[in-house]
Amino acid sequence: MVDYVLSPLFNGLFMAMVVFLFTTGLTLIFGILRVLNFAHGGFFMIGAYVAFSVVRLVGGETSMLAYLAISTVAGIVVGLLGLVVERIIFRPLQKVDEAYSLIATYALLLITEGAVKAVWGVSFHSVATPDLLGGAVFAGDLFMPTYAIFIILVGFASYALLEWVLQHTDTGKLMKSVASDPWMAGMLGVNVPRFYTFIVVLGFFLAGIAGGLLLPNQTLSPNLASTFVIQAFGALVVGGMGNIRGTFLAAIMLCVIDSFGSLLFSEVPGLFFYIAMTAALLLRPQGLIAGARL
Amino acid sequence: MRSPLSAPIARDAAIALVIVAVLLAMPLVAPKGLVFVVGTLALHIVFGLSWNLMFGQTGLVSFGHASFFAIGGYFYALVARSFPDLHPLLGFAGAGAFGVVLAIVIGLIALRRSLGVYFAILTLALSQIVYLFLSSFTPLGREDGFTGIRRPVLDMGLFEIDLARGDNYYLFIVLFSTLLCAVVWWVRHSQTGRALRAIQQDPERAAFLGINVAGNRLLAFAIASGVTAVAGALYGPWLQLLTPDVAHWTLSARPILYSLLGGVSSFWGPVVGAAGFAILEYGTRTLHGFSEIIIGSILLAVVLLFPGGILGGLDALRRRSAAPARTAKETVR
């Protein structure tokens, strides 16, 4: 029971929340600007590296509060980078064909990889988990690392917060209206370009903070940029193209299926994520949650 | 608007002849390292051209093109190891046929249900499956790769050519790539090519004109995949090693970069893009980290300043100087 049901379920849920935290910013930017940002992983990676440097700077402090504060710092730094990227790259991209945003953000991914190599070098780094999250909890025979429980809680909390903002606040209603018809929103007096800037900065902030939060789980190297981006695209598209609720559900579905699949067929780890993704796209090409924007 | 279909065969043949002549003369003047880069470039040109047959001509965005390159490579390597007496040309042809069959199977399922971004993401998911399979399947060498792929001896009936000697394999690659490019050129300019172009511009109208939209899309996907599989098969003996990295999604991004960088609406676009990319990579190879920054920045600059790619930009400049009254707006795709 534990080995075949609860344990894979827990691991799948943990992986799903890792993917979801990575994908939130991507989903927001795609949902509103319709830019599929390849460089998202690059900025996630910069967030992780910034957090790593701050940890080094304060002398390996691993208290819970410091960890959260450092992740927020990483988010702010990456958010500020987002401000620059929006001005120089995303804004001009609005005028050209969609396919070109693919190449432009891929170019941006290369730049982030190069920048990380130039600033931090190519060697591998890692950071210890904060003391409070270092242990593990046993529920019967089920082994649950405290850090994984924490990430699952953060994932659910982030989803609840985003959903609340989108459905129940003025900002959220504004987001949804701009996402569904930017022209009309502009006619009604919304400053659409400034709103786009806000969304990009928010999306980048989310990427950076995710980089900081997930840092204890990662080995830092310039390869980190391209590690999660394909899974993130999977969750984004299976969820229904830029829809937070769909992305959340898709991340859980794909990762839990993958976790159970790995039990059956352990030779090729990660295989079932893509098999489930292929099947979901073929059976439900409109996505889990169709039609709704954000 | 001038249609690229009217491009005269004589002009393209002349350009091709000059390029091939320069490439064939390369080993006489260039150092070994550069010859290796150019040989790889020849295969990447085929890779880019075949992708653009799907995108520029048909409007299909495949994000898993590298998996066909890898499948062709591994297929040839496995066949050459298992049947050492088989004629190498049969091995290369077999790799192409295998790519075509696989593309038809995938296309039958994938193209019917999904197009646009979905097709892109679906091909991406399938290519990840190929990548994971290649990295964990023991007979194919797993992460360490398929080692010891030999450059074969070509039995031409009356005489034999040992491709392992000197620059023979380089010359073979250049000539074979030229042949593959000619296949793409021919498809592009044939009646099928015109049908594909009609589908790219407006699938619904094309269907009303009696064009088999689904069939032609499948055909474009199959031809592009087969041509790429042959290029992949040629790549194995060139490197004498294949690692799962040839199926990685970052390699699938390459033909997209080549085509958009060079210009998707011209046959020569991916050629220019691949060459430009290779020059950038070769020129910055010793600058760790800064190499990516320079390549990325130049790509960005091209996309933001010349959305039609290098050839599209040149075309716009030429037209602007020829007819100053007309704006450059119409050349933007």
Side-chain angles (χ1 to χ4, degrees):
Chain A
M1 173 70 181
V2 169
D3 281 354
Y4 293 103
V5 181
L6 292 180
S7 190
L9 196 64
F10 179 79
N11 291 334
L13 212 53
F14 171 49
M15 199 54 216
M17 289 308 115
V18 170
V19 171
F20 176 69
L21 287 174
F22 179 92
T23 317
T24 47
L26 187 77
T27 308
L28 215 54
I29 291 176
F30 185 77
I32 292 174
L33 276 83
R34 298 276 119 182
V35 172
L36 193 53
N37 184 12
F38 252 111
H40 191 75
F43 289 97
F44 167 83
M45 171 174 73
I46 289 178
Y49 269 99
V50 168
F52 164 75
S53 288
V54 179
V55 169
R56 276 266 174 99
L57 210 65
V58 299
E61 179 69 51
T62 50
S63 81
M64 191 65 196
L65 199 65
Y67 163 65
L68 292 178
I70 288 168
S71 300
T72 315
V73 169
I76 291 170
V77 171
V78 176
L80 290 175
L81 287 176
L83 195 63
V84 179
V85 168
E86 201 274 340
R87 280 292 149 83
I88 301 178
I89 298 164
F90 284 9
R91 195 168 287 187
L93 274 183
Q94 299 288 327
K95 292 187 212 98
V96 298
D97 195 272
E98 251 181 45
Y100 292 96
S101 66
L102 213 64
I103 183 179
T105 59
Y106 184 78
L108 193 57
L109 175 69
L110 286 180
I111 294 175
T112 60
E113 279 178 349
V116 163
K117 278 184 196 167
V119 175
W120 282 283
V122 289
S123 44
F124 289 69
H125 299 290
S126 65
V127 164
T129 317
D131 296 335
L132 195 64
L133 300 178
V137 175
F138 282 91
D141 286 336
L142 179 62
F143 171 75
M144 299 186 289
T146 321
Y147 177 73
I149 298 178
F150 172 73
I151 290 299
I152 292 176
L153 291 178
V154 170
F156 274 85
S158 313
Y159 167 66
L161 181 67
L162 282 169
E163 188 79 355
W164 177 76
V165 168
L166 282 171
Q167 309 299 345
H168 298 287
T169 66
D170 289 348
T171 317
K173 284 174 185 148
L174 202 58
M175 283 185 190
K176 285 165 68 163
S177 61
V178 175
S180 60
D181 194 339
W183 182 81
M184 194 64 211
M187 292 295 284
L188 294 173
V190 178
N191 187 340
V192 176
R194 189 187 294 169
F195 191 74
Y196 280 170
T197 311
F198 164 71
I199 291 300
V200 172
V201 171
L202 182 62
F204 275 58
F205 171 77
L206 290 172
I209 202 166
L213 286 174
L214 296 174
L215 173 61
N217 190 39
Q218 302 303 324
T219 309
L220 268 184
S221 77
N223 297 332
L224 187 58
S226 48
T227 305
F228 289 122
V229 75
I230 304 301
Q231 277 126 310
F233 281 4
L236 177 75
V237 176
V238 170
M241 301 303 261
N243 177 311
I244 290 284
R245 189 181 300 168
T247 305
F248 183 71
L249 293 176
I252 293 178
M253 187 186 87
L254 295 174
C255 290
V256 169
I257 290 177
D258 183 56
S259 187
F260 279 102
S262 302
L263 279 185
L264 299 171
F265 193 68
S266 56
E267 286 88 349
V268 189
L271 179 67
F272 277 80
F273 186 96
Y274 299 106
I275 292 181
M277 182 174 153
T278 310
L281 286 173
L282 290 173
L283 298 174
R284 231 183 126 72
Q286 70 274 39
L288 291 179
I289 304 218
R293 285 284 179 85
L294 289 172
Chain B
M1 185 183 136
R2 267 183 334 126
S3 161
L5 293 176
S6 63
I9 184 167
R11 194 202 65 175
D12 281 354
I15 296 175
L17 212 62
V18 172
I19 295 176
V20 171
V22 170
L23 291 188
L24 290 179
M26 255 337 236
L28 301 176
V29 288
K32 256 190 150 46
L34 190 62
V35 170
F36 183 79
V37 170
V38 175
T40 310
L41 169 64
L43 296 175
H44 273 240
I45 286 175
V46 176
F47 190 35
L49 272 178
S50 60
W51 184 84
N52 201 36
L53 188 63
M54 294 186 284
F55 181 69
Q57 192 83 358
T58 324
L60 291 174
V61 185
S62 164
F63 219 105
H65 208 43
S67 55
F68 288 100
F69 193 84
I71 284 168
Y74 274 92
F75 180 90
Y76 173 78
L78 201 61
V79 164
R81 189 171 68 183
S82 313
F83 309 99
D85 295 332
L86 191 79
H87 197 286
L89 288 181
L90 274 179
F92 292 125
F98 187 65
V100 167
V101 170
L102 210 64
I104 289 175
V105 173
I106 292 172
L108 275 177
I109 309 165
L111 282 170
R112 195 169 40 170
R113 291 305 299 265
S114 55
L115 281 172
V117 182
Y118 286 100
F119 183 69
I121 300 291
L122 197 63
T123 46
L124 181 60
L126 290 169
S127 76
Q128 284 295 102
I129 294 176
V130 171
Y131 173 73
L132 288 173
F133 184 75
L134 294 178
S135 1
S136 32
F137 193 54
T138 312
L140 298 179
R142 306 173 65 122
E143 299 275 358
D144 300 331
F146 200 118
T147 49
I149 304 167
R150 277 206 293 273
R151 296 178 182 176
V153 177
L154 270 192
D155 182 359
M156 305 296 279
L158 297 173
F159 56 97
E160 282 186 344
I161 305 171
D162 186 358
L163 292 178
R165 287 181 55 192
D167 292 311
N168 282 358
Y169 197 71
Y170 169 79
L171 302 175
F172 178 68
I173 280 188
V174 170
L175 292 175
F176 212 135
S177 301
T178 310
L179 180 74
L180 292 171
C181 294
V183 169
V184 174
W185 190 95
W186 176 75
V187 172
R188 196 183 159 98
H189 292 84
S190 68
Q191 195 170 355
T192 306
R194 286 195 289 276
L196 296 177
R197 184 149 285 261
I199 292 170
Q200 186 230 28
Q201 285 171 354
D202 191 337
E204 211 170 327
R205 200 171 290 182
F208 267 120
L209 292 172
I211 295 171
N212 181 352
V213 173
N216 275 301
R217 275 182 179 146
L218 187 63
L219 190 66
F221 185 52
I223 294 172
S225 303
V227 167
T228 284
V230 179
L234 291 166
Y235 184 66
W238 178 232
L239 210 64
Q240 296 174 322
L241 164 79
L242 280 172
T243 59
D245 281 345
V246 291
H248 197 254
W249 67 267
T250 45
L251 200 74
S252 286
R254 286 299 188 84
I256 307 180
L257 290 181
Y258 298 156
S259 305
L260 294 176
L261 184 63
V264 289
S265 51
S266 152
F267 171 80
W268 294 101
V271 182
V272 172
F277 200 87
I279 291 169
L280 279 180
E281 236 181 0
Y282 190 75
T284 60
R285 69 195 181 284
T286 52
L287 313 165
H288 282 290
F290 291 101
S291 149
E292 281 99 332
I293 297 179
I294 293 169
I295 292 175
S297 308
I298 290 177
L299 281 176
L300 259 182
V302 170
V303 174
L304 296 178
L305 301 177
F306 306 105
I310 295 171
L311 290 182
L314 288 178
D315 207 31
L317 287 178
R318 203 179 53 207
R319 242 186 265 184
R320 198 180 302 171
S321 56
R326 287 163 75 184
T327 61
K329 211 184 266 170
E330 61 181 315
T331 58
V332 176
R333 237 184 67 82

